[in-house]
Amino acid sequence: PPSLLDNILLPLIDESVRRQYQIRDAEQRKDFEEANRLRSEVSPRQVALESAQKAREEGLDEEAARLEEEAELYKILRADVTQDEGAYSRYLDRDDWYERETQARIKRLDKSKFGTLLDGIDLP
C-alpha cells in the first residue's frame, strides 16, 4: 500500500512515472479493473517511452532512438509534465504541428555558419 510519503510525492513526479507506479500498485492490490483503466489513459508520451524501452530490449536501437525522440517531443509540448493530460487547459501546451516544424527547421540548419562565441576576439 502507498505510504504517506508516496501520497505526498506522487503528485509532484512525472506523469508517466506516476502512471507506472499507479498501475503496479493496482495490480498488487488485485484491482485489475483500475489497472486496466489506468492503462487506457496513458499519454502518447508514455506510449512512446514504453515502446522505446521494448525496442531497445529487442536490439532495435534506431527504432528506440526514434521513439525516444518522439517522447522528448511530447515532453516539450507539455506545459507541465507532472500533470495528467487533461488536468489543465490544453491551450497551455505548445502546438504539436508548430513544434514539429520548428524541430525540423533546427535540424536543417547549417550550424557551421554561426561560428563560435570567440569569433572576433584576439587571444594571446
Side-chain angles (χ1 to χ4, degrees):
S3 70
L4 181 59
L5 185 60
D6 290 337
N7 293 337
I8 292 169
L9 295 178
L10 215 49
L12 304 175
I13 64 174
D14 183 286
E15 60 90 15
S16 63
V17 175
R18 180 176 57 248
R19 181 72 51 160
Q20 290 173 342
Y21 175 88
Q22 290 170 329
I23 290 169
R24 188 176 62 239
D25 179 58
E27 288 173 340
Q28 289 174 348
R29 291 183 286 112
K30 307 276 192 249
D31 188 349
F32 299 110
E33 187 175 312
E34 175 71 4
N36 288 334
R37 183 189 68 76
L38 290 165
R39 275 193 198 91
S40 72
E41 296 174 354
V42 296
S43 67
R45 179 172 169 255
Q46 185 173 351
V47 170
L49 286 169
E50 290 175 1
S51 298
Q53 182 179 5
K54 183 180 263 187
R56 187 131 349 254
E57 289 169 0
E58 294 173 1
L60 303 171
D61 292 336
E62 286 183 27
E63 178 68 6
R66 186 189 67 74
L67 288 164
E68 287 166 352
E69 191 173 302
E70 186 77 7
E72 185 61 28
L73 174 69
Y74 284 123
K75 181 179 179 181
I76 291 169
L77 293 177
R78 300 284 303 278
D80 184 356
V81 294
T82 65
Q83 298 293 309
D84 290 325
E85 284 195 0
Y88 60 90
S89 173
R90 65 183 179 89
Y91 295 109
L92 296 173
D93 290 340
R94 295 179 183 180
D95 290 325
D96 182 85
W97 67 269
Y98 179 81
E99 196 60 34
R100 286 182 190 278
E101 189 176 293
T102 301
Q103 295 293 327
R105 201 175 311 124
I106 289 170
K107 284 181 182 179
R108 288 191 305 262
L109 283 177
D110 184 3
K111 293 172 183 73
S112 65
K113 292 181 181 178
F114 290 100
T116 70
L117 292 175
L118 300 176
D119 284 354
I121 297 175
D122 294 326
L123 297 175

Short mmCIF file of all heavy atoms in Angstrom, two decimals, residues 39-102:
data_model
loop_
_atom_site.label_atom_id
_atom_site.label_comp_id
_atom_site.label_asym_id
_atom_site.label_seq_id
_atom_site.Cartn_x
_atom_site.Cartn_y
_atom_site.Cartn_z
N ARG A 39 -4.24 1.97 -17.64
CA ARG A 39 -3.54 1.66 -18.90
C ARG A 39 -4.22 2.33 -20.09
O ARG A 39 -3.56 2.76 -21.01
CB ARG A 39 -3.49 0.16 -19.13
CG ARG A 39 -2.35 -0.50 -18.46
CD ARG A 39 -2.16 -1.93 -18.98
NE ARG A 39 -1.36 -2.65 -18.03
CZ ARG A 39 -1.82 -3.35 -17.01
NH1 ARG A 39 -3.10 -3.47 -16.81
NH2 ARG A 39 -1.00 -3.96 -16.18
N SER A 40 -5.56 2.41 -20.03
CA SER A 40 -6.28 3.00 -21.17
C SER A 40 -6.10 4.52 -21.22
O SER A 40 -6.40 5.13 -22.25
CB SER A 40 -7.78 2.66 -21.07
OG SER A 40 -8.39 3.37 -20.02
N GLU A 41 -5.61 5.11 -20.14
CA GLU A 41 -5.45 6.57 -20.08
C GLU A 41 -4.00 7.02 -20.21
O GLU A 41 -3.70 8.18 -19.93
CB GLU A 41 -6.02 7.10 -18.76
CG GLU A 41 -7.51 6.89 -18.61
CD GLU A 41 -8.03 7.28 -17.25
OE1 GLU A 41 -7.22 7.63 -16.35
OE2 GLU A 41 -9.26 7.25 -17.07
N VAL A 42 -3.11 6.13 -20.65
CA VAL A 42 -1.71 6.54 -20.75
C VAL A 42 -1.55 7.60 -21.83
O VAL A 42 -2.27 7.62 -22.83
CB VAL A 42 -0.75 5.35 -21.02
CG1 VAL A 42 -0.76 4.36 -19.88
CG2 VAL A 42 -1.06 4.68 -22.33
N SER A 43 -0.61 8.49 -21.62
CA SER A 43 -0.36 9.58 -22.55
C SER A 43 0.43 9.07 -23.76
O SER A 43 1.10 8.04 -23.68
CB SER A 43 0.43 10.68 -21.85
OG SER A 43 1.73 10.23 -21.55
N PRO A 44 0.37 9.80 -24.87
CA PRO A 44 1.19 9.42 -26.03
C PRO A 44 2.68 9.39 -25.67
O PRO A 44 3.43 8.56 -26.19
CB PRO A 44 0.90 10.53 -27.05
CG PRO A 44 -0.42 11.08 -26.66
CD PRO A 44 -0.50 10.94 -25.16
N ARG A 45 3.10 10.25 -24.77
CA ARG A 45 4.49 10.27 -24.34
C ARG A 45 4.86 8.96 -23.65
O ARG A 45 5.92 8.38 -23.92
CB ARG A 45 4.73 11.45 -23.39
CG ARG A 45 6.15 11.51 -22.89
CD ARG A 45 6.37 12.82 -22.13
NE ARG A 45 7.63 12.75 -21.44
CZ ARG A 45 7.75 12.58 -20.13
NH1 ARG A 45 6.69 12.50 -19.37
NH2 ARG A 45 8.94 12.50 -19.59
N GLN A 46 3.98 8.47 -22.78
CA GLN A 46 4.27 7.23 -22.08
C GLN A 46 4.27 6.06 -23.06
O GLN A 46 5.11 5.17 -22.95
CB GLN A 46 3.26 6.99 -20.96
CG GLN A 46 3.59 5.76 -20.15
CD GLN A 46 2.71 5.58 -18.93
OE1 GLN A 46 1.94 6.46 -18.59
NE2 GLN A 46 2.81 4.44 -18.30
N VAL A 47 3.37 6.07 -24.01
CA VAL A 47 3.35 5.01 -25.03
C VAL A 47 4.68 5.00 -25.78
O VAL A 47 5.28 3.94 -25.99
CB VAL A 47 2.17 5.21 -26.01
CG1 VAL A 47 2.27 4.27 -27.20
CG2 VAL A 47 0.84 5.03 -25.28
N ALA A 48 5.16 6.17 -26.17
CA ALA A 48 6.44 6.27 -26.88
C ALA A 48 7.59 5.79 -26.00
O ALA A 48 8.48 5.07 -26.47
CB ALA A 48 6.68 7.69 -27.36
N LEU A 49 7.60 6.17 -24.71
CA LEU A 49 8.66 5.75 -23.80
C LEU A 49 8.68 4.23 -23.62
O LEU A 49 9.74 3.60 -23.66
CB LEU A 49 8.50 6.42 -22.43
CG LEU A 49 8.88 7.89 -22.34
CD1 LEU A 49 8.42 8.47 -21.00
CD2 LEU A 49 10.37 8.07 -22.51
N GLU A 50 7.50 3.64 -23.43
CA GLU A 50 7.42 2.19 -23.25
C GLU A 50 7.79 1.45 -24.53
O GLU A 50 8.46 0.42 -24.49
CB GLU A 50 6.02 1.81 -22.76
CG GLU A 50 5.75 2.27 -21.34
CD GLU A 50 4.33 2.02 -20.87
OE1 GLU A 50 3.52 1.45 -21.64
OE2 GLU A 50 4.03 2.39 -19.73
N SER A 51 7.38 1.98 -25.67
CA SER A 51 7.74 1.37 -26.95
C SER A 51 9.24 1.45 -27.19
O SER A 51 9.85 0.52 -27.71
CB SER A 51 6.99 2.04 -28.10
OG SER A 51 5.60 1.87 -27.95
N ALA A 52 9.84 2.58 -26.81
CA ALA A 52 11.29 2.75 -26.95
C ALA A 52 12.04 1.74 -26.08
O ALA A 52 13.02 1.14 -26.51
CB ALA A 52 11.71 4.17 -26.59
N GLN A 53 11.55 1.56 -24.87
CA GLN A 53 12.19 0.60 -23.97
C GLN A 53 12.10 -0.82 -24.53
O GLN A 53 13.09 -1.56 -24.53
CB GLN A 53 11.52 0.65 -22.59
CG GLN A 53 12.15 -0.26 -21.58
CD GLN A 53 11.48 -0.17 -20.21
OE1 GLN A 53 10.47 0.52 -20.05
NE2 GLN A 53 12.03 -0.85 -19.24
N LYS A 54 10.93 -1.17 -25.07
CA LYS A 54 10.75 -2.51 -25.66
C LYS A 54 11.65 -2.67 -26.88
O LYS A 54 12.29 -3.71 -27.06
CB LYS A 54 9.29 -2.71 -26.05
CG LYS A 54 9.01 -4.08 -26.60
CD LYS A 54 7.55 -4.22 -26.97
CE LYS A 54 6.84 -4.90 -25.83
NZ LYS A 54 5.44 -5.23 -26.15
N ALA A 55 11.74 -1.64 -27.73
CA ALA A 55 12.59 -1.71 -28.92
C ALA A 55 14.06 -1.87 -28.53
O ALA A 55 14.79 -2.64 -29.14
CB ALA A 55 12.40 -0.45 -29.77
N ARG A 56 14.49 -1.14 -27.50
CA ARG A 56 15.87 -1.25 -27.04
C ARG A 56 16.17 -2.65 -26.52
O ARG A 56 17.22 -3.21 -26.79
CB ARG A 56 16.14 -0.19 -25.97
CG ARG A 56 17.56 -0.13 -25.58
CD ARG A 56 18.29 1.17 -25.52
NE ARG A 56 17.79 2.41 -26.00
CZ ARG A 56 18.24 3.00 -27.11
NH1 ARG A 56 19.17 2.42 -27.85
NH2 ARG A 56 17.78 4.16 -27.47
N GLU A 57 15.22 -3.24 -25.79
CA GLU A 57 15.38 -4.61 -25.28
C GLU A 57 15.48 -5.62 -26.41
O GLU A 57 16.14 -6.64 -26.27
CB GLU A 57 14.22 -4.96 -24.35
CG GLU A 57 14.24 -4.23 -23.02
CD GLU A 57 12.96 -4.38 -22.22
OE1 GLU A 57 12.02 -5.06 -22.70
OE2 GLU A 57 12.90 -3.82 -21.12
N GLU A 58 14.83 -5.33 -27.52
CA GLU A 58 14.85 -6.23 -28.68
C GLU A 58 16.03 -5.94 -29.61
O GLU A 58 16.15 -6.55 -30.66
CB GLU A 58 13.53 -6.11 -29.45
CG GLU A 58 12.34 -6.62 -28.66
CD GLU A 58 11.01 -6.35 -29.34
OE1 GLU A 58 11.01 -5.77 -30.46
OE2 GLU A 58 9.98 -6.71 -28.76
N GLY A 59 16.88 -4.99 -29.23
CA GLY A 59 18.06 -4.67 -30.02
C GLY A 59 17.80 -3.76 -31.20
O GLY A 59 18.64 -3.64 -32.09
N LEU A 60 16.65 -3.12 -31.24
CA LEU A 60 16.29 -2.21 -32.33
C LEU A 60 16.65 -0.79 -31.92
O LEU A 60 15.78 0.04 -31.61
CB LEU A 60 14.79 -2.33 -32.64
CG LEU A 60 14.29 -3.73 -32.99
CD1 LEU A 60 12.78 -3.76 -33.05
CD2 LEU A 60 14.90 -4.18 -34.31
N ASP A 61 17.95 -0.51 -31.91
CA ASP A 61 18.44 0.75 -31.38
C ASP A 61 17.97 1.97 -32.18
O ASP A 61 17.67 3.01 -31.59
CB ASP A 61 19.97 0.74 -31.29
CG ASP A 61 20.46 -0.22 -30.24
OD1 ASP A 61 19.69 -0.52 -29.30
OD2 ASP A 61 21.60 -0.70 -30.34
N GLU A 62 17.92 1.87 -33.51
CA GLU A 62 17.46 3.01 -34.31
C GLU A 62 16.00 3.33 -34.04
O GLU A 62 15.62 4.49 -33.89
CB GLU A 62 17.67 2.73 -35.81
CG GLU A 62 19.12 2.83 -36.23
CD GLU A 62 19.30 2.62 -37.73
OE1 GLU A 62 18.36 2.92 -38.49
OE2 GLU A 62 20.39 2.17 -38.11
N GLU A 63 15.18 2.29 -33.95
CA GLU A 63 13.76 2.48 -33.64
C GLU A 63 13.60 3.05 -32.23
O GLU A 63 12.78 3.93 -31.99
CB GLU A 63 13.01 1.14 -33.76
CG GLU A 63 11.55 1.22 -33.41
CD GLU A 63 10.71 2.02 -34.40
OE1 GLU A 63 11.22 2.45 -35.44
OE2 GLU A 63 9.53 2.25 -34.10
N ALA A 64 14.40 2.56 -31.29
CA ALA A 64 14.34 3.05 -29.92
C ALA A 64 14.72 4.54 -29.87
O ALA A 64 14.06 5.33 -29.18
CB ALA A 64 15.27 2.24 -29.02
N ALA A 65 15.75 4.92 -30.61
CA ALA A 65 16.17 6.32 -30.65
C ALA A 65 15.07 7.20 -31.24
O ALA A 65 14.80 8.29 -30.73
CB ALA A 65 17.46 6.47 -31.44
N ARG A 66 14.41 6.72 -32.29
CA ARG A 66 13.32 7.48 -32.91
C ARG A 66 12.16 7.66 -31.92
O ARG A 66 11.61 8.75 -31.77
CB ARG A 66 12.82 6.76 -34.16
CG ARG A 66 11.78 7.56 -34.94
CD ARG A 66 11.14 6.74 -36.05
NE ARG A 66 10.33 5.65 -35.56
CZ ARG A 66 9.12 5.80 -35.01
NH1 ARG A 66 8.60 6.99 -34.86
NH2 ARG A 66 8.44 4.75 -34.60
N LEU A 67 11.84 6.59 -31.20
CA LEU A 67 10.74 6.66 -30.24
C LEU A 67 11.10 7.54 -29.04
O LEU A 67 10.25 8.25 -28.51
CB LEU A 67 10.37 5.25 -29.77
CG LEU A 67 9.65 4.40 -30.82
CD1 LEU A 67 9.68 2.93 -30.44
CD2 LEU A 67 8.23 4.89 -31.03
N GLU A 68 12.36 7.50 -28.62
CA GLU A 68 12.79 8.37 -27.52
C GLU A 68 12.73 9.83 -27.94
O GLU A 68 12.37 10.70 -27.15
CB GLU A 68 14.21 7.99 -27.08
CG GLU A 68 14.24 6.69 -26.30
CD GLU A 68 15.64 6.11 -26.14
OE1 GLU A 68 16.60 6.63 -26.76
OE2 GLU A 68 15.77 5.13 -25.39
N GLU A 69 13.07 10.10 -29.20
CA GLU A 69 12.96 11.46 -29.73
C GLU A 69 11.50 11.91 -29.76
O GLU A 69 11.18 13.05 -29.43
CB GLU A 69 13.56 11.51 -31.13
CG GLU A 69 13.75 12.89 -31.68
CD GLU A 69 14.50 12.87 -33.00
OE1 GLU A 69 15.64 12.36 -33.05
OE2 GLU A 69 13.94 13.38 -33.99
N GLU A 70 10.62 10.99 -30.13
CA GLU A 70 9.18 11.28 -30.13
C GLU A 70 8.68 11.58 -28.71
O GLU A 70 7.93 12.52 -28.49
CB GLU A 70 8.42 10.09 -30.73
CG GLU A 70 6.95 10.32 -30.92
CD GLU A 70 6.62 11.16 -32.13
OE1 GLU A 70 7.51 11.48 -32.94
OE2 GLU A 70 5.44 11.52 -32.27
N ALA A 71 9.13 10.79 -27.74
CA ALA A 71 8.75 11.01 -26.34
C ALA A 71 9.25 12.36 -25.85
O ALA A 71 8.55 13.07 -25.12
CB ALA A 71 9.28 9.88 -25.47
N GLU A 72 10.47 12.72 -26.27
CA GLU A 72 11.03 14.02 -25.87
C GLU A 72 10.20 15.16 -26.47
O GLU A 72 9.97 16.18 -25.81
CB GLU A 72 12.49 14.12 -26.31
CG GLU A 72 13.19 15.36 -25.83
CD GLU A 72 13.26 15.51 -24.32
OE1 GLU A 72 13.27 14.50 -23.61
OE2 GLU A 72 13.31 16.66 -23.85
N LEU A 73 9.74 14.98 -27.70
CA LEU A 73 8.90 15.99 -28.32
C LEU A 73 7.60 16.16 -27.51
O LEU A 73 7.19 17.28 -27.23
CB LEU A 73 8.56 15.62 -29.76
CG LEU A 73 7.56 16.55 -30.45
CD1 LEU A 73 8.17 17.92 -30.68
CD2 LEU A 73 7.06 15.96 -31.74
N TYR A 74 6.99 15.04 -27.13
CA TYR A 74 5.77 15.12 -26.31
C TYR A 74 6.04 15.81 -24.99
O TYR A 74 5.20 16.54 -24.47
CB TYR A 74 5.17 13.73 -26.07
CG TYR A 74 4.46 13.17 -27.27
CD1 TYR A 74 4.82 11.95 -27.81
CD2 TYR A 74 3.40 13.85 -27.87
CE1 TYR A 74 4.17 11.42 -28.92
CE2 TYR A 74 2.74 13.34 -28.97
CZ TYR A 74 3.13 12.12 -29.49
OH TYR A 74 2.48 11.63 -30.58
N LYS A 75 7.23 15.61 -24.43
CA LYS A 75 7.59 16.29 -23.18
C LYS A 75 7.70 17.79 -23.39
O LYS A 75 7.23 18.58 -22.58
CB LYS A 75 8.92 15.74 -22.66
CG LYS A 75 9.37 16.35 -21.36
CD LYS A 75 10.68 15.74 -20.90
CE LYS A 75 11.16 16.36 -19.61
NZ LYS A 75 12.43 15.78 -19.17
N ILE A 76 8.31 18.19 -24.51
CA ILE A 76 8.47 19.61 -24.83
C ILE A 76 7.10 20.28 -25.03
O ILE A 76 6.91 21.43 -24.65
CB ILE A 76 9.35 19.78 -26.09
CG1 ILE A 76 10.79 19.38 -25.78
CG2 ILE A 76 9.28 21.20 -26.62
CD1 ILE A 76 11.66 19.27 -27.03
N LEU A 77 6.17 19.53 -25.60
CA LEU A 77 4.84 20.09 -25.89
C LEU A 77 4.06 20.42 -24.62
O LEU A 77 3.26 21.34 -24.60
CB LEU A 77 4.01 19.11 -26.72
CG LEU A 77 4.49 18.84 -28.14
CD1 LEU A 77 3.61 17.78 -28.78
CD2 LEU A 77 4.50 20.10 -28.96
N ARG A 78 4.30 19.65 -23.57
CA ARG A 78 3.51 19.78 -22.35
C ARG A 78 3.94 20.98 -21.53
O ARG A 78 5.12 21.21 -21.31
CB ARG A 78 3.65 18.52 -21.49
CG ARG A 78 3.20 17.23 -22.15
CD ARG A 78 1.70 17.09 -22.21
NE ARG A 78 1.09 17.17 -20.92
CZ ARG A 78 1.00 16.15 -20.07
NH1 ARG A 78 1.49 14.98 -20.39
NH2 ARG A 78 0.41 16.33 -18.90
N ALA A 79 2.96 21.73 -21.02
CA ALA A 79 3.25 22.86 -20.14
C ALA A 79 3.76 22.35 -18.80
O ALA A 79 4.61 22.98 -18.17
CB ALA A 79 2.01 23.71 -19.95
N ASP A 80 3.27 21.20 -18.35
CA ASP A 80 3.66 20.64 -17.05
C ASP A 80 3.59 19.13 -17.12
O ASP A 80 2.50 18.55 -17.09
CB ASP A 80 2.73 21.19 -15.96
CG ASP A 80 3.14 20.74 -14.57
OD1 ASP A 80 4.08 19.95 -14.43
OD2 ASP A 80 2.51 21.20 -13.60
N VAL A 81 4.74 18.47 -17.20
CA VAL A 81 4.77 17.01 -17.34
C VAL A 81 4.40 16.29 -16.04
O VAL A 81 4.24 15.08 -16.05
CB VAL A 81 6.12 16.48 -17.86
CG1 VAL A 81 6.38 16.94 -19.27
CG2 VAL A 81 7.24 16.84 -16.93
N THR A 82 4.26 17.02 -14.95
CA THR A 82 3.84 16.36 -13.72
C THR A 82 2.32 16.21 -13.66
O THR A 82 1.81 15.45 -12.84
CB THR A 82 4.31 17.13 -12.45
OG1 THR A 82 3.67 18.40 -12.41
CG2 THR A 82 5.81 17.30 -12.45
N GLN A 83 1.59 16.91 -14.52
CA GLN A 83 0.13 16.83 -14.54
C GLN A 83 -0.33 15.80 -15.56
O GLN A 83 0.26 15.65 -16.62
CB GLN A 83 -0.47 18.19 -14.90
CG GLN A 83 -0.15 19.27 -13.91
CD GLN A 83 -0.81 19.02 -12.57
OE1 GLN A 83 -2.01 18.76 -12.49
NE2 GLN A 83 -0.02 19.07 -11.51
N ASP A 84 -1.41 15.11 -15.23
CA ASP A 84 -2.01 14.18 -16.18
C ASP A 84 -2.59 14.97 -17.34
O ASP A 84 -3.05 16.10 -17.17
CB ASP A 84 -3.12 13.37 -15.52
CG ASP A 84 -2.58 12.36 -14.52
OD1 ASP A 84 -1.50 11.82 -14.75
OD2 ASP A 84 -3.27 12.14 -13.50
N GLU A 85 -2.59 14.35 -18.53
CA GLU A 85 -3.19 15.02 -19.68
C GLU A 85 -4.66 15.28 -19.38
O GLU A 85 -5.36 14.41 -18.87
CB GLU A 85 -3.03 14.18 -20.94
CG GLU A 85 -1.64 14.25 -21.49
CD GLU A 85 -1.55 13.75 -22.92
OE1 GLU A 85 -2.56 13.33 -23.49
OE2 GLU A 85 -0.44 13.79 -23.44
N GLY A 86 -5.11 16.48 -19.68
CA GLY A 86 -6.49 16.85 -19.43
C GLY A 86 -6.72 17.46 -18.06
O GLY A 86 -7.82 17.90 -17.75
N ALA A 87 -5.67 17.49 -17.22
CA ALA A 87 -5.81 18.05 -15.87
C ALA A 87 -5.77 19.57 -15.89
O ALA A 87 -6.10 20.21 -14.90
CB ALA A 87 -4.72 17.50 -14.95
N TYR A 88 -5.36 20.15 -16.99
CA TYR A 88 -5.32 21.60 -17.15
C TYR A 88 -5.68 21.92 -18.59
O TYR A 88 -5.76 21.03 -19.43
CB TYR A 88 -3.93 22.16 -16.78
CG TYR A 88 -2.81 21.61 -17.61
CD1 TYR A 88 -2.43 22.23 -18.80
CD2 TYR A 88 -2.12 20.47 -17.23
CE1 TYR A 88 -1.41 21.72 -19.58
CE2 TYR A 88 -1.11 19.96 -18.00
CZ TYR A 88 -0.75 20.58 -19.18
OH TYR A 88 0.25 20.07 -19.95
N SER A 89 -5.88 23.17 -18.89
CA SER A 89 -6.29 23.57 -20.23
C SER A 89 -5.23 23.20 -21.26
O SER A 89 -4.05 23.50 -21.09
CB SER A 89 -6.52 25.09 -20.28
OG SER A 89 -6.77 25.49 -21.61
N ARG A 90 -5.65 22.55 -22.33
CA ARG A 90 -4.70 22.14 -23.37
C ARG A 90 -4.12 23.34 -24.10
O ARG A 90 -3.11 23.23 -24.79
CB ARG A 90 -5.35 21.18 -24.36
CG ARG A 90 -6.46 21.78 -25.17
CD ARG A 90 -7.10 20.73 -26.09
NE ARG A 90 -8.18 21.28 -26.85
CZ ARG A 90 -8.04 21.85 -28.04
NH1 ARG A 90 -6.86 21.92 -28.59
NH2 ARG A 90 -9.08 22.34 -28.68
N TYR A 91 -4.72 24.51 -23.94
CA TYR A 91 -4.20 25.71 -24.59
C TYR A 91 -2.90 26.19 -23.95
O TYR A 91 -2.22 27.05 -24.50
CB TYR A 91 -5.26 26.82 -24.57
CG TYR A 91 -6.45 26.45 -25.41
CD1 TYR A 91 -7.67 26.14 -24.82
CD2 TYR A 91 -6.35 26.36 -26.79
CE1 TYR A 91 -8.75 25.78 -25.59
CE2 TYR A 91 -7.43 26.00 -27.57
CZ TYR A 91 -8.63 25.70 -26.97
OH TYR A 91 -9.70 25.33 -27.73
N LEU A 92 -2.55 25.63 -22.80
CA LEU A 92 -1.27 25.96 -22.16
C LEU A 92 -0.11 25.20 -22.81
O LEU A 92 1.04 25.59 -22.68
CB LEU A 92 -1.32 25.67 -20.66
CG LEU A 92 -2.32 26.50 -19.87
CD1 LEU A 92 -2.41 26.00 -18.44
CD2 LEU A 92 -1.94 27.97 -19.91
N ASP A 93 -0.42 24.10 -23.48
CA ASP A 93 0.60 23.30 -24.15
C ASP A 93 0.99 23.95 -25.48
O ASP A 93 0.26 24.77 -26.03
CB ASP A 93 0.08 21.88 -24.43
CG ASP A 93 -0.10 21.06 -23.18
OD1 ASP A 93 0.52 21.40 -22.15
OD2 ASP A 93 -0.84 20.07 -23.25
N ARG A 94 2.15 23.56 -25.98
CA ARG A 94 2.57 24.02 -27.30
C ARG A 94 1.81 23.24 -28.37
O ARG A 94 1.39 22.12 -28.15
CB ARG A 94 4.08 23.79 -27.48
CG ARG A 94 4.92 24.61 -26.55
CD ARG A 94 6.37 24.30 -26.78
NE ARG A 94 7.21 25.03 -25.84
CZ ARG A 94 8.52 24.94 -25.83
NH1 ARG A 94 9.15 24.16 -26.68
NH2 ARG A 94 9.21 25.63 -24.96
N ASP A 95 1.72 23.83 -29.55
CA ASP A 95 1.06 23.15 -30.67
C ASP A 95 2.00 22.11 -31.26
O ASP A 95 3.16 22.39 -31.55
CB ASP A 95 0.67 24.14 -31.76
CG ASP A 95 -0.46 25.04 -31.34
OD1 ASP A 95 -1.35 24.56 -30.61
OD2 ASP A 95 -0.47 26.22 -31.74
N ASP A 96 1.47 20.90 -31.45
CA ASP A 96 2.25 19.78 -31.98
C ASP A 96 2.85 20.11 -33.35
O ASP A 96 4.04 19.95 -33.57
CB ASP A 96 1.34 18.55 -32.07
CG ASP A 96 2.08 17.33 -32.56
OD1 ASP A 96 2.70 16.64 -31.74
OD2 ASP A 96 2.03 17.09 -33.79
N TRP A 97 2.01 20.60 -34.28
CA TRP A 97 2.48 20.86 -35.64
C TRP A 97 3.57 21.93 -35.65
O TRP A 97 4.55 21.82 -36.39
CB TRP A 97 1.32 21.29 -36.55
CG TRP A 97 0.73 22.62 -36.17
CD1 TRP A 97 -0.29 22.85 -35.30
CD2 TRP A 97 1.17 23.91 -36.61
NE1 TRP A 97 -0.54 24.20 -35.18
CE2 TRP A 97 0.35 24.88 -35.97
CE3 TRP A 97 2.17 24.36 -37.47
CZ2 TRP A 97 0.50 26.23 -36.16
CZ3 TRP A 97 2.31 25.73 -37.66
CH2 TRP A 97 1.49 26.65 -37.03
N TYR A 98 3.42 22.95 -34.82
CA TYR A 98 4.39 24.04 -34.79
C TYR A 98 5.73 23.54 -34.24
O TYR A 98 6.79 23.86 -34.78
CB TYR A 98 3.86 25.18 -33.92
CG TYR A 98 4.82 26.34 -33.82
CD1 TYR A 98 4.91 27.29 -34.83
CD2 TYR A 98 5.65 26.48 -32.71
CE1 TYR A 98 5.80 28.35 -34.74
CE2 TYR A 98 6.55 27.54 -32.61
CZ TYR A 98 6.62 28.46 -33.63
OH TYR A 98 7.51 29.50 -33.54
N GLU A 99 5.68 22.76 -33.18
CA GLU A 99 6.92 22.27 -32.57
C GLU A 99 7.63 21.29 -33.50
O GLU A 99 8.85 21.32 -33.62
CB GLU A 99 6.61 21.60 -31.22
CG GLU A 99 7.82 21.42 -30.36
CD GLU A 99 8.53 22.71 -29.99
OE1 GLU A 99 7.88 23.75 -29.83
OE2 GLU A 99 9.78 22.67 -29.88
N ARG A 100 6.88 20.44 -34.19
CA ARG A 100 7.50 19.50 -35.16
C ARG A 100 8.19 20.28 -36.28
O ARG A 100 9.29 19.95 -36.69
CB ARG A 100 6.46 18.56 -35.73
CG ARG A 100 6.01 17.50 -34.75
CD ARG A 100 5.01 16.55 -35.40
NE ARG A 100 4.41 15.69 -34.42
CZ ARG A 100 4.96 14.57 -33.96
NH1 ARG A 100 6.12 14.17 -34.43
NH2 ARG A 100 4.34 13.84 -33.06
N GLU A 101 7.52 21.32 -36.77
CA GLU A 101 8.09 22.15 -37.84
C GLU A 101 9.35 22.85 -37.34
O GLU A 101 10.36 22.93 -38.05
CB GLU A 101 7.05 23.16 -38.30
CG GLU A 101 7.44 23.92 -39.53
CD GLU A 101 6.31 24.83 -39.99
OE1 GLU A 101 5.26 24.31 -40.41
OE2 GLU A 101 6.50 26.06 -39.90
N THR A 102 9.31 23.37 -36.13
CA THR A 102 10.47 24.06 -35.55
C THR A 102 11.64 23.10 -35.38
O THR A 102 12.78 23.44 -35.73
CB THR A 102 10.09 24.69 -34.20
OG1 THR A 102 9.02 25.61 -34.40
CG2 THR A 102 11.28 25.41 -33.57
#
